[in-house]
Amino acid sequence: MGTTRTQVGIIGAGPAGLLLAQILDKAGISTVILERRDRSYVEGRIRAGVLEQGTVDLMRAAGVGERLDREGLIHKGIYFSVDDVRTQIDLEELTGGRHVVVYGQTEVTKDLIAARLAAGGDLRFDCVDVTLHDVESDKPRLTYVSGDSEHEVVCDFIAGCDGFHGPSRQALPASLLKVYERVYPFGWLGILAQAPPVADELIYSRHPRGFALYSMRSMKVVRHYIQCLPDTDLEDWPDDRVWDELRLRLAPQDQHLLQTGKVFEKSVTPMRSFVAEPMRFGRLFLAGDAGHIVPPTGAKGLNLAASDVHYLSRALMAFYAENSEAGLDTYSETALARIWKAQRFSWWMTSMLHNFGPADDFDTRVRGAELAYVLSSRAAMTSLAENYVGLPF
Ligand code: APR
Ligand code: PHB
């Protein structure tokens, strides 16, 4: 068995694991990343694409902000389309000059992998059966199989950045782990297509036929979503039907703005809110989707992974530089305080904008009133804008 020694063993080469490795590497802390999939799979995964200022700052500080600064699209506002009226929410004006940057998570991942490999960092793909050992000791270990041989990584700490389905969260004892969850009765059917954006900013549309979101990746590539049933079969959704549905969920006077084009990706994302507590057990720390999932309506998933990484990297740097465990001890509590606020926002945006079914009941009316209130009140819109651009780390 080949054994490697490192300071922080990281499971998962998604944005959380890669960004953590990049920041620690800059601080002179050694890391090994173990990823189950191959590089092309990881680089091809399509996810959301709205970065908060704090995430952008973190990418820049980690030395991976160059292409993001060049190609990212600055968005100073968003639109809500409701009952045939499109209203602008001026993020910059409402938040004293803050904005978001539209840049695909796929690109974030590619930039982080390129930086890691250029720096000669240890990043291992195709790791089978990654298993955590001795996480309560001060020399935890990871084992995995690659090819025909078994390997071992001995470290000081393990960062569980292995997403929702990874083994890290399962390594917490059932008696300690508490899970909070909400599953929504719908999903999003998303497409990537070669077409110009519908408008200068993203449009979030609440429509009797269901929610739709008109987003973009560049001035030539759009990312659009429609609310669908969670078990939707893509066979039932040929491109023409998707475009027709996207058009119908715009306000009538905006429908001519939708331009169609070649669809090159189509998938269905289920929607759930999920939080696991605590995010630490012994020398194991969870970060990103390993600890929590948000529905994509507020575009918070990647940004939460970034804020976790910010807290965890600072705690690890303080440990190695000053022998201080204070940041490690408070990591779970500090990260969760921000996570719950983003959970609230994502749940609230999801509730307010989606169609929950045909019932005309009390809840439906309250959701409608909530949205009408937000769009008529500067105070409420300011709150929405403050959360959308991202609460401070
Ligand atoms: N062993 C090694 N790696 C694993 C294992 C395993 N058993 N299981 C999962 N992984 C890897 C996945 O293949 C993936 O590359 O862990 C990585 C987790 O990455 P993400 O799922 O992208 O999660 P995270 O890095 O926390 O990023 C959060 O991703 O899902 C979105 O909305 C979410 O935008 C947010 C972001
Ligand atoms: C996206 O462009 O993929 C996107 C944008 C905003 C969201 C969710 C996803 O709220």
Side-chain angles (χ1 to χ4, degrees):
M1 171 152 60
T3 297
T4 310
R5 271 222 40 93
T6 192
Q7 288 171 306
V8 182
I10 299 175
I11 314 175
L18 289 164
L19 188 57
L20 179 66
Q22 184 71 11
I23 294 171
L24 294 180
D25 186 57
K26 283 212 148 238
I29 298 168
S30 65
T31 55
V32 173
I33 308 180
L34 305 181
E35 165 61 46
R36 182 166 63 111
R37 303 287 193 159
D38 63 30
R39 180 176 176 184
S40 66
Y41 181 93
V42 172
E43 291 191 335
R45 225 164 11 202
I46 308 296
R47 297 266 177 76
V50 175
L51 309 190
E52 296 172 357
Q53 187 63 51
T55 304
V56 173
D57 291 345
L58 205 56
M59 292 277 290
R60 285 190 189 132
V64 279
E66 198 199 313
R67 192 162 72 101
L68 165 62
D69 281 333
R70 209 172 51 238
E71 295 179 15
L73 304 172
I74 293 178
H75 280 230
K76 300 176 177 175
I78 50 175
Y79 293 109
F80 272 22
S81 170
V82 185
D83 294 339
D84 300 351
V85 179
R86 174 147 63 93
T87 310
Q88 196 200 21
I89 298 180
D90 189 334
L91 299 172
E92 228 175 37
E93 200 249 331
L94 291 164
T95 62
R98 300 175 66 207
H99 55 248
V100 292
V101 176
V102 171
Y103 189 71
Q105 181 175 318
T106 310
E107 308 312 312
V108 170
T109 307
K110 283 186 202 158
D111 293 349
L112 285 164
I113 290 177
R116 176 80 176 168
L117 296 178
D122 196 332
L123 167 53
R124 306 181 189 181
F125 292 102
D126 300 305
C127 299
V128 178
D129 281 343
V130 173
T131 309
L132 301 87
H133 307 268
D134 310 329
V135 294
E136 282 186 282
S137 79
D138 60 5
K139 277 285 164 281
R141 289 181 306 122
L142 294 167
T143 54
Y144 68 97
V145 175
S146 173
D148 287 337
S149 47
E150 200 179 343
H151 299 264
E152 178 184 57
V153 177
V154 181
C155 39
D156 300 333
F157 299 98
I158 295 175
C161 303
D162 45 1
F164 186 65
H165 301 288
S168 295
R169 193 175 62 253
Q170 266 57 0
L172 270 77
S175 56
L176 181 69
L177 187 68
K178 178 134 180 36
V179 161
Y180 303 84
E181 187 167 26
R182 167 142 319 173
V183 177
Y184 300 90
F186 40 75
W188 281 10
L189 189 162
I191 57 160
L192 275 171
Q194 269 146 12
V198 175
D200 52 340
E201 309 290 10
L202 274 56
I203 303 176
Y204 289 83
S205 174
R206 176 181 155 128
H207 193 276
R209 300 180 69 90
F211 170 78
L213 170 60
Y214 305 82
S215 181
M216 63 190 81
R217 287 290 173 272
S218 70
M219 299 321 278
K220 293 185 182 151
V221 173
V222 289
R223 177 73 168 152
H224 297 327
Y225 300 95
I226 47 183
Q227 177 185 346
C228 62
L229 292 170
D231 58 356
T232 290
D233 184 351
L234 286 176
E235 291 287 309
D236 297 336
W237 285 89
D239 298 352
D240 286 350
R241 184 176 175 204
V242 176
W243 289 117
D244 286 347
E245 196 59 40
L246 283 165
R247 189 173 299 103
L248 287 169
R249 294 185 190 189
L250 281 166
Q253 73 278 9
D254 284 342
Q255 292 187 354
H256 71 283
L257 298 174
L258 181 82
Q259 292 194 45
T260 61
K262 187 179 159 41
V263 174
F264 57 93
E265 205 271 340
K266 195 189 287 173
S267 54
V268 174
T269 314
M271 308 270 281
R272 61 148 58 87
S273 302
F274 176 94
V275 182
E277 295 192 3
M279 293 173 70
R280 176 200 188 162
F281 176 55
R283 291 240 170 166
L284 164 66
F285 295 84
L286 304 181
D289 277 17
H292 41 81
I293 298 285
V294 284
T297 324
K300 293 294 170 218
L302 171 60
N303 295 297
L304 274 184
S307 61
D308 288 354
V309 164
H310 166 78
Y311 297 128
L312 184 54
S313 58
R314 281 214 319 201
L316 289 166
M317 289 190 292
F319 175 84
Y320 286 111
E322 302 148 30
N323 205 20
S324 163
E325 296 205 25
L328 296 173
D329 289 341
T330 53
Y331 167 70
S332 179
E333 197 187 325
T334 310
L336 281 164
R338 190 173 188 280
I339 288 160
W340 274 112
K341 288 181 194 152
Q343 287 287 353
R344 182 209 68 84
F345 179 66
S346 305
W347 160 83
W348 178 71
M349 287 277 281
T350 302
S351 316
M352 201 166 54
L353 289 166
H354 286 76
N355 183 337
F356 280 71
D360 178 22
D361 58 10
F362 185 83
D363 288 357
T364 308
R365 292 290 172 135
V366 167
R367 280 193 293 268
E370 178 94 45
L371 188 51
Y373 166 61
V374 168
L375 296 178
S376 65
S377 154
R378 186 178 166 90
M381 249 195 230
T382 304
S383 165
L384 189 153
E386 179 182 41
N387 281 275
Y388 195 87
V389 300
L391 298 175
F393 287 7

